[in-house]
């Protein structure tokens, strides 16, 4: 039971991350490494403001900080002509120092004895179990931002962003500034990622400078698991599938850890393998198909 | 309408591969003119279109469209008044999005929409009607992804997208060259209809000399970054394909590139 509710809570919180990764990886069509920095950025801002007694403000500023990180990467890519992957790496590296600065140059902050949003809710609803409250709060965040994003990608601006990932030339031909659409998309994606980190910090009651390491792969794994289940369809379904993917990912990890299939430190390795397997599958399939055809032809000859 | 004044463009300047692609080219188009452009490969035809639509900055000279100096206007802003089609049908549409979404995006050139919902009922009717004129059945497939359409259907859709908000200038760069003959003819018919409907000022590059003489109101021939022949009216009406070829070899110093100049079958 704790396993189920625990992975439900985490799955929803990391679902926000999956939404962000979906926007860059699936809609904009480029893997954005900024997330490794902006996840910790959200975490750091949220934790340090919670310690000052402003947990909600911590989340809001965390979202804004994440958006700024996205804008920066966007500017590097568009106005400075830096390769998209490298642009993300630059922001991510720079953010490491910024994050340490926000955390008062300590690599670890604990929120024990400080009121997080979760703590505030426990006090407001003393009759409910903490696990329920955690799950409901996480669900609420996911739901609100899912609805907001689904609406946004139905607007004209959202359409422009989707088209940018599909065919930049066509967007330019429709007299739309592609640089702007890219920057906005990166800002929104990283805002979501930072929010995910921010909620996580208050949920687990601590912030660690290394939280963002490998987080892109976690997000990608969620998106890809979602794709496998739902197929690749409209953006709204895509958002649902990213969140569901995140939930399933957490269940898999929780079960694997519980049954000690692998030790906890192998987590990121396993995540990388999942993503690798899913991404390489189409290419491997076609190679196998080609080999079959060749063998057949050989036999005939 | 369009005035091109002594434009110059050199690619890869100060390198061994330096290439003087546009050499002080002058051109004036009146409103509603439909100009066809011929010339061998590498003559600079596409480069001229790139200069007009702002794919790069020209080295010198100026371009004026409808009394507005567009020489230094960014490409995406020019796209609001200059429609453009390429040979590659994949270039002008977003394959992962539906016909409806593609059209909605193109239609937004008329007005910035920001956070309004993109697909609106009122416009759907307009799109359906415009699509039905193609006779391709696309009006009943508005929710189909464009990636699933054939090259001809995509090119017809692109044509509609670039003209759904009437542009001041339409540039067609061999837009039927990648299609099979029957489809090419169909797309050409649609092109003529659309251009005629709003008397859009149009420039069309083609390798089909017959089509170049038959279509539009004026024909120009390019060679080595400049215009070497400019005919219209009576002179053009009485011109035959062999005469045009003959003129071409006289005017150009370079070898005649017959490989891509198609002598019309009909
Ligand atoms: N972006 C570019 N960089 C370098 N050379 C170019 C570029 N665009 C065109 N050229 C060269 O300019 C010349 C004219 O090309 P183009 O205008 O495409 O010819 P065409 O008349 O066949 O359309 C060609 O030699 C081409 O290689
Ligand atoms: Mg060309």
């Amino acid at each position: 039971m704790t396993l189920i509710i625990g992975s439900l809570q985490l799955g929803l919180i990391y679902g926000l991350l999956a939404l962000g990764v979906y926007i860059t990886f699936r809609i904009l069509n480029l893997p954005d490494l900024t997330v490794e920095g902006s996840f910790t950025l959200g975490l750091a801002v949220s934790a340090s403001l919670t310690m000052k007694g402003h947990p909600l403000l911590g989340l809001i500023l965390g979202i804004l900080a994440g958006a700024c990180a996205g804008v920066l990467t966007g500017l590097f890519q568009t106005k400075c002509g830096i390769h998209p992957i490298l642009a993300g790496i630059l922001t991510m590296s720079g953010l490491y120092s910024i994050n340490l600065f926000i955390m008062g140059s300590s690599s670890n902050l604990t929120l024990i004895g400080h009121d997080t949003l979760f703590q505030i809710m426990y006090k407001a609803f003393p009759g409910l179990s903490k696990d329920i409250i955690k799950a409901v709060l996480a669900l609420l965040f996911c739901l609100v931002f899912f609805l907001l994003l689904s609406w946004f990608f139905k607007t004209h601006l959202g359409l422009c962003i989707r088209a940018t990932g599909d065919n930049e030339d066509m967007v330019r031909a429709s007299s739309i500034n592609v640089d702007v659409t890219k920057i906005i998309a990166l800002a929104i994606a990283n805002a979501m990622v930072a929010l995910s980190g921010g909620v996580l910090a208050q949920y687990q009651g601590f912030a660690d400078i290394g939280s963002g390491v490998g987080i892109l792969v976690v997000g990608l794994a969620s998106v890809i698991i979602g794709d496998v289940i739902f197929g690749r369809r409209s953006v709204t379904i895509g958002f649902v599938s990213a969140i569901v993917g995140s939930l399933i990912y957490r269940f898999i990890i929780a079960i694997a850890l519980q049954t000690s299939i692998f030790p906890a430190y192998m987590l990121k390795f396993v995540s990388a393998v999942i993503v690798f397997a899913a991404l390489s599958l189409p290419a491997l399939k076609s190679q196998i198909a080609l080999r079959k055809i060749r063998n057949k032809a050989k036999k005939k000859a | 309408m369009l005035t091109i004044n002594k434009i110059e463009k050199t690619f890869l300047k100060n390198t061994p591969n330096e290439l003087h692609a546009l050499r002080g080219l002058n051109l004036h188009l009146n409103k509603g003119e439909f100009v066809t452009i011929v010339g061998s490969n590498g003559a600079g035809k596409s480069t001229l279109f790139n200069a007009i639509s702002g794919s790069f900055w020209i080295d010198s000279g100026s371009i004026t469209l409808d009394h507005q100096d567009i020489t230094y206007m960014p490409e995406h802003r020019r796209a609001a008044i200059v429609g453009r089609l390429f040979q590659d049908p994949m270039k002008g549409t977003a394959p992962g999005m539906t016909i409806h979404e593609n059209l909605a995006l193109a239609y937004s050139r008329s007005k910035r929409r920001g956070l309004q919902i993109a697909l609106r009922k009122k416009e759907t009717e307009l799109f359906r009607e415009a699509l039905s004129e193609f006779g391709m059945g696309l009006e009943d497939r508005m929710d189909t992804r464009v990636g699933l359409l054939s090259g001809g259907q995509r090119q017809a859709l692109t044509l509609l997208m670039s003209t759904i908000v009437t542009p001041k200038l339409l540039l067609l760069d061999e837009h039927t060259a990648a299609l099979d003959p029957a489809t090419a003819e169909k797309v050409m018919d649609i092109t003529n209809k659309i251009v005629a409907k709003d008397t859009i000022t149009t420039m069309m590059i083609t390798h089909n000399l017959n089509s170049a003489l038959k279509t539009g109101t004026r024909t120009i021939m390019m060679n080595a970054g400049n215009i070497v022949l400019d005919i219209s009216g009576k002179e053009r009406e009485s011109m035959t394909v062999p005469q045009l070829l003959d003129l071409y070899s006289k005017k150009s110093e370079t070898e005649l590139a017959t490989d891509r100049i198609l002598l019309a079958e009909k």
Side-chain angles (χ1 to χ4, degrees):
Chain A
M1 190 60 201
T2 40
L3 183 141
I4 292 178
I5 194 115
S7 20
L8 184 71
Q9 294 157 354
L10 278 175
L12 288 168
I13 293 171
Y14 282 105
L16 297 165
L17 165 82
L19 289 175
V21 171
Y22 184 89
I23 293 172
T24 44
F25 184 61
R26 277 293 181 237
I27 298 181
L28 218 48
N29 237 333
L30 94 208
D32 172 32
L33 275 152
T34 317
V35 298
E36 305 244 328
S38 55
F39 186 79
T40 316
L41 179 64
L43 195 99
V45 171
S46 162
S48 56
L49 275 159
T50 302
M51 290 175 78
K52 296 211 165 69
H54 305 295
L56 188 63
L57 188 67
L59 288 185
I60 295 168
L61 288 186
I63 291 174
L64 288 180
C68 289
V71 169
L72 213 59
T73 301
L75 288 174
F76 290 171
Q77 279 182 27
T78 56
K79 302 295 176 199
C80 309
I82 298 172
H83 185 283
I85 303 281
L86 194 52
I89 291 175
L90 286 177
T91 312
M92 172 190 82
S93 297
L95 277 178
Y96 187 84
S97 303
I98 304 283
N99 292 337
L100 267 176
F101 168 76
I102 293 170
M103 288 165 66
S105 59
S106 76
S107 59
N108 217 299
L109 294 180
T110 168
L111 301 180
I112 294 173
H114 297 283
D115 268 348
T116 65
L117 275 186
F118 291 92
Q119 240 93 42
I120 293 170
M121 286 299 155
Y122 301 158
K123 283 176 197 159
F125 301 98
L128 291 174
S129 91
K130 287 185 179 179
D131 264 339
I132 299 283
I133 291 177
K134 278 188 203 165
V136 169
L137 207 55
L139 180 68
L140 230 58
F141 274 111
C142 245
L143 202 65
V144 167
F145 283 92
F146 161 72
L147 290 175
L148 267 176
L149 288 177
S150 300
W151 163 77
F152 176 75
F153 279 95
K154 284 203 178 77
T155 65
H156 175 68
L157 186 55
L159 196 70
C160 293
I161 291 173
R162 288 173 51 206
T164 303
D166 211 15
N167 183 353
E168 251 178 63
D169 287 333
M170 173 265 193
V171 178
R172 221 174 272 122
S174 301
S175 195
I176 293 152
N177 191 337
V178 180
D179 293 354
V180 173
T181 55
K182 275 188 196 163
I183 292 170
I184 293 175
L186 283 165
I188 294 174
N190 282 289
M192 293 311 300
V193 172
L195 174 67
S196 178
V199 176
L200 184 72
Q202 301 196 22
Y203 168 84
Q204 62 189 14
F206 67 87
D208 187 287
I209 190 73
S211 308
V213 178
I215 208 75
L216 174 61
V217 170
V218 171
L220 288 176
S222 308
V223 169
I224 287 167
I225 292 171
D227 279 351
V228 170
I229 295 169
F230 286 81
R232 290 179 65 177
R233 282 185 283 179
S234 74
V235 173
T236 307
I237 294 176
F239 286 142
V240 176
S241 83
I243 295 171
V244 172
S246 168
L247 287 167
I248 293 172
Y249 176 81
R250 285 297 146 192
F251 277 115
I252 295 173
I253 299 286
I255 290 169
L257 288 179
Q258 186 113 3
T259 52
S260 332
I261 292 174
F262 53 78
Y265 61 78
M266 287 300 280
L267 222 107
K268 283 185 173 145
F269 179 81
V270 173
S271 311
V273 169
I274 292 178
V275 173
F276 163 79
L279 291 183
S280 59
L281 208 62
L284 292 179
K285 260 188 195 162
S286 76
Q287 273 173 35
I288 291 169
L290 177 69
R291 194 153 300 169
K292 269 186 194 158
I293 295 170
R294 256 205 232 139
N295 286 346
K296 245 188 214 164
K298 258 187 211 158
K299 264 181 206 159
K300 268 189 191 161
Chain B
M1 192 62 177
L2 175 73
T3 305
I4 294 174
N5 189 15
K6 285 203 204 112
I7 56 170
E8 293 271 353
K9 179 71 191 180
T10 304
F11 290 115
L12 308 167
K13 216 171 203 157
N14 304 324
T15 70
N17 294 324
E18 182 170 299
L19 200 133
H20 201 170
L22 292 176
R23 308 178 177 219
L25 186 142
N26 290 304
L27 180 66
H28 178 82
L29 256 65
N30 289 321
K31 201 176 167 102
E33 263 191 306
F34 188 161
V35 182
T36 56
I37 303 171
V38 295
S40 62
N41 273 327
K45 304 181 297 294
S46 298
T47 305
L48 172 63
F49 277 17
N50 284 332
I52 297 172
S53 53
S55 308
F56 51 68
W57 305 121
I58 52 175
D59 299 335
S60 64
S62 71
I63 304 171
T64 315
L65 181 59
D66 198 20
H67 309 298
Q68 189 180 12
D69 187 344
I70 59 168
T71 316
Y72 300 108
M73 190 190 270
E75 184 177 16
H76 74 270
R77 292 221 3 247
R78 267 187 239 196
I81 47 176
V82 180
R84 186 170 188 189
L85 259 77
F86 297 90
Q87 180 175 345
D88 182 0
M90 304 300 155
K91 239 179 163 168
T93 46
M97 293 169 45
T98 65
I99 294 180
H100 197 171
E101 288 167 338
N102 271 275
L103 280 168
L105 205 78
Y107 192 61
S108 71
R109 265 186 308 176
S110 61
K111 201 165 101 228
R112 287 279 145 270
R113 289 273 173 64
L115 292 180
Q116 290 175 24
I117 291 295
L119 303 185
R120 299 195 297 182
K121 272 234 171 68
K122 232 172 44 195
E123 287 159 13
T124 312
E125 266 322 295
L126 177 89
F127 297 159
R128 281 184 66 94
E129 218 166 280
L131 283 169
S132 69
E133 289 191 15
F134 294 170
M136 289 175 160
L138 293 181
E139 65 277 12
D140 299 320
R141 300 175 64 189
M142 297 258 288
D143 294 320
T144 304
R145 281 192 199 189
V146 170
L148 300 173
L149 302 183
S150 70
Q153 289 170 328
R154 277 181 85 159
Q155 207 63 321
L157 177 63
T158 312
L159 199 53
L160 179 58
M161 284 167 61
S162 9
T163 53
I164 190 133
V165 177
T166 310
K168 290 183 174 165
L169 180 68
L170 180 62
L171 303 176
L172 308 169
D173 192 343
E174 299 185 53
H175 70 304
T176 62
L179 309 174
D180 65 80
T183 314
E185 195 170 332
K186 171 126 212 197
V187 170
M188 205 49 235
D189 280 347
I190 295 172
T191 307
N192 281 321
K193 249 193 230 162
I194 288 182
V195 169
K197 194 173 133 226
D198 297 308
T199 47
I200 303 171
T201 312
T202 304
M203 296 170 81
M204 178 175 87
I205 298 172
T206 177
H207 272 103
N208 186 326
L209 295 188
N210 188 42
S211 162
L213 287 176
K214 256 188 356 197
T215 317
T217 56
R218 177 175 168 190
T219 298
I220 63 180
M221 184 179 276
M222 281 186 70
N223 183 56
N226 225 322
I227 294 171
V228 291
L229 180 76
D230 185 345
I231 51 173
S232 57
K234 288 244 165 60
E235 189 188 1
R236 181 171 181 265
E237 267 164 44
S238 57
M239 181 78 67
T240 61
V241 171
Q243 278 175 321
L244 189 61
L245 264 175
D246 201 37
L247 266 175
Y248 181 80
S249 43
K250 269 188 208 140
K251 296 253 181 193
S252 70
E253 307 95 320
T254 53
E255 275 295 291
L256 188 58
T258 36
D259 57 341
R260 296 222 39 211
I261 296 196
L262 304 174
L263 284 163
E265 318 78 68
K266 281 169 289 174

